[in-house]
Protein backbone atom coordinates (compact mmCIF):
# COMPACT_ATOMS: atom_id res chain seq x y z
CA UNK A 1 0.00 0.00 0.00
CA UNK A 2 1.19 3.55 -0.64
CA UNK A 3 3.65 4.79 0.27
CA UNK A 4 5.74 2.08 -1.30
CA UNK A 5 8.46 0.51 0.80
CA UNK A 6 10.53 -0.32 -2.26
CA UNK A 7 12.30 3.00 -2.82
CA UNK A 8 13.35 3.49 0.83
CA UNK A 9 14.43 -0.15 1.05
CA UNK A 10 16.58 0.11 -2.08
CA UNK A 11 18.07 3.34 -0.69
CA UNK A 12 18.99 1.50 2.53
CA UNK A 13 20.57 -1.32 0.57
CA UNK A 14 22.64 1.23 -1.32
CA UNK A 15 23.55 3.31 1.73
CA UNK A 16 24.93 0.25 3.51
CA UNK A 17 26.26 -1.40 0.33
CA UNK A 18 24.15 -4.48 1.00
CA UNK A 19 22.87 -5.32 -2.49
CA UNK A 20 25.24 -8.29 -2.87
CA UNK A 21 24.52 -9.53 0.66
CA UNK A 22 20.74 -9.90 0.80
CA UNK A 23 18.05 -12.19 -0.54
CA UNK A 24 14.64 -10.55 -0.76
CA UNK A 25 11.37 -12.45 -0.45
CA UNK A 26 7.77 -11.34 -0.12
CA UNK A 27 4.31 -12.80 0.30
CA UNK A 28 3.16 -10.16 -2.21
CA UNK A 29 3.64 -10.98 -5.88
CA UNK A 30 3.15 -7.33 -6.84
CA UNK A 31 5.65 -6.05 -4.31
CA UNK A 32 8.28 -8.58 -5.31
CA UNK A 33 7.84 -7.87 -9.04
CA UNK A 34 8.17 -4.14 -8.34
CA UNK A 35 11.26 -4.71 -6.22
CA UNK A 36 12.90 -6.74 -9.00
CA UNK A 37 12.23 -3.89 -11.45
CA UNK A 38 13.80 -1.38 -9.05
CA UNK A 39 16.80 -3.54 -8.11
CA UNK A 40 17.31 -6.25 -10.75
CA UNK A 41 20.76 -7.10 -9.42
CA UNK A 42 19.48 -8.11 -5.95
CA UNK A 43 18.72 -11.78 -5.41
CA UNK A 44 15.11 -12.69 -4.76
CA UNK A 45 13.06 -15.74 -4.03
CA UNK A 46 10.14 -16.88 -6.14
CA UNK A 47 6.88 -15.10 -5.43
CA UNK A 48 3.85 -17.09 -4.25
CA UNK A 49 2.47 -17.07 -7.80
CA UNK A 50 5.78 -18.31 -9.18
CA UNK A 51 5.89 -21.13 -6.60
CA UNK A 52 2.39 -22.15 -7.69
CA UNK A 53 3.53 -22.14 -11.34
CA UNK A 54 6.49 -24.33 -10.42
CA UNK A 55 4.23 -26.75 -8.56
CA UNK A 56 2.14 -27.41 -11.68
CA UNK A 57 5.08 -27.45 -14.10
CA UNK A 58 5.03 -30.72 -16.04
CA UNK A 59 8.11 -32.74 -17.00
CA UNK A 60 7.51 -31.75 -20.63
CA UNK A 61 7.56 -28.05 -19.69
CA UNK A 62 10.72 -28.24 -17.55
CA UNK A 63 13.25 -27.86 -20.41
CA UNK A 64 11.57 -24.60 -21.46
CA UNK A 65 11.25 -23.20 -17.93
CA UNK A 66 13.52 -20.35 -16.93
CA UNK A 67 13.25 -19.49 -13.22
CA UNK A 68 12.61 -15.79 -12.59
CA UNK A 69 14.71 -16.02 -9.40
CA UNK A 70 17.39 -18.39 -8.09
CA UNK A 71 15.58 -19.47 -4.90
CA UNK A 72 12.30 -21.08 -3.94
CA UNK A 73 11.54 -20.37 -0.30
CA UNK A 74 8.53 -22.48 0.63
CA UNK A 75 6.51 -23.81 3.55
CA UNK A 76 5.45 -27.45 3.85
CA UNK A 77 1.85 -26.48 2.99
CA UNK A 78 -0.05 -23.58 1.48
CA UNK A 79 -3.56 -24.01 2.81
CA UNK A 80 -4.31 -27.67 2.14
CA UNK A 81 -1.87 -27.93 -0.78
CA UNK A 82 1.38 -29.73 -0.04
CA UNK A 83 4.23 -27.61 -1.37
CA UNK A 84 7.37 -29.09 0.14
CA UNK A 85 8.07 -32.65 -0.91
CA UNK A 86 10.95 -34.69 -2.30
CA UNK A 87 9.35 -34.37 -5.76
CA UNK A 88 9.11 -30.57 -5.44
CA UNK A 89 12.74 -30.28 -4.33
CA UNK A 90 13.89 -32.55 -7.19
CA UNK A 91 11.90 -30.52 -9.73
CA UNK A 92 13.27 -27.25 -8.37
CA UNK A 93 16.82 -28.61 -8.59
CA UNK A 94 16.27 -29.86 -12.16
CA UNK A 95 15.28 -26.34 -13.27
CA UNK A 96 18.19 -24.71 -11.43
CA UNK A 97 16.57 -23.50 -8.21
CA UNK A 98 17.80 -23.78 -4.66
CA UNK A 99 15.11 -24.61 -2.10
CA UNK A 100 14.86 -23.03 1.33
CA UNK A 101 12.16 -24.43 3.60
CA UNK A 102 10.46 -22.37 6.28
CA UNK A 103 8.07 -23.02 9.12
CA UNK A 104 9.77 -26.37 9.74
CA UNK A 105 10.94 -25.96 13.35
CA UNK A 106 9.29 -29.24 14.42
CA UNK A 107 10.30 -31.15 11.28
CA UNK A 108 13.90 -30.13 10.62
CA UNK A 109 15.40 -33.58 10.06
CA UNK A 110 12.52 -34.68 7.84
CA UNK A 111 12.93 -31.46 5.84
CA UNK A 112 16.68 -31.92 5.51
CA UNK A 113 16.05 -35.47 4.31
CA UNK A 114 13.97 -34.05 1.41
CA UNK A 115 17.17 -32.54 0.01
CA UNK A 116 16.50 -28.85 0.69
CA UNK A 117 19.38 -26.42 0.37
CA UNK A 118 18.54 -24.33 3.42
CA UNK A 119 16.25 -23.92 6.40
CA UNK A 120 14.50 -20.80 7.63
CA UNK A 121 13.72 -21.27 11.32
CA UNK A 122 12.47 -19.22 14.27
CA UNK A 123 14.72 -20.97 16.79
CA UNK A 124 18.01 -22.40 15.45
CA UNK A 125 18.50 -24.54 18.58
Amino acid sequence: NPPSVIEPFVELLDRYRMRPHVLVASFSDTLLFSFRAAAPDVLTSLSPLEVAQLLVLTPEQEPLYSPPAPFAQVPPFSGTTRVLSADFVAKAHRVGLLVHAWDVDDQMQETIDLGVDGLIVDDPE
Side-chain angles (χ1 to χ4, degrees):
N1 296 326
S4 174
V5 299
I6 294 171
E7 186 177 320
F9 182 54
V10 171
E11 288 174 7
L12 280 172
L13 293 176
D14 290 340
R15 181 182 314 143
Y16 294 102
R17 298 183 180 133
M18 293 301 296
R19 282 187 186 225
H21 306 287
V22 298
L23 168 62
V24 175
S26 177
F27 292 118
S28 166
D29 297 304
T30 303
L31 193 61
L32 193 56
F33 300 156
S34 296
F35 177 79
R36 287 181 189 155
D41 58 317
V42 176
L43 294 176
T44 64
S45 179
L46 295 183
S47 74
L49 174 64
E50 293 163 342
V51 170
Q53 291 168 336
L54 181 61
L55 271 170
V56 299
L57 191 69
T58 66
E60 296 77 29
Q61 295 168 324
E62 285 182 22
L64 303 174
Y65 179 76
S66 179
F71 298 91
Q73 295 182 319
V74 298
F77 288 89
S78 178
T80 59
T81 303
R82 183 147 198 52
V83 177
L84 189 60
S85 67
D87 289 341
F88 177 85
V89 173
K91 181 191 298 187
H93 287 164
R94 284 193 304 271
V95 299
L97 289 163
L98 297 174
V99 178
H100 295 163
W102 54 271
D103 199 19
V104 296
D105 291 330
D106 297 333
Q107 307 142 354
M108 275 195 226
Q109 189 57 56
E110 295 89 347
T111 303
I112 291 167
D113 292 344
L114 295 175
V116 299
D117 302 289
L119 298 172
I120 300 169
V121 298
D122 295 328
D123 183 358
E125 289 184 40

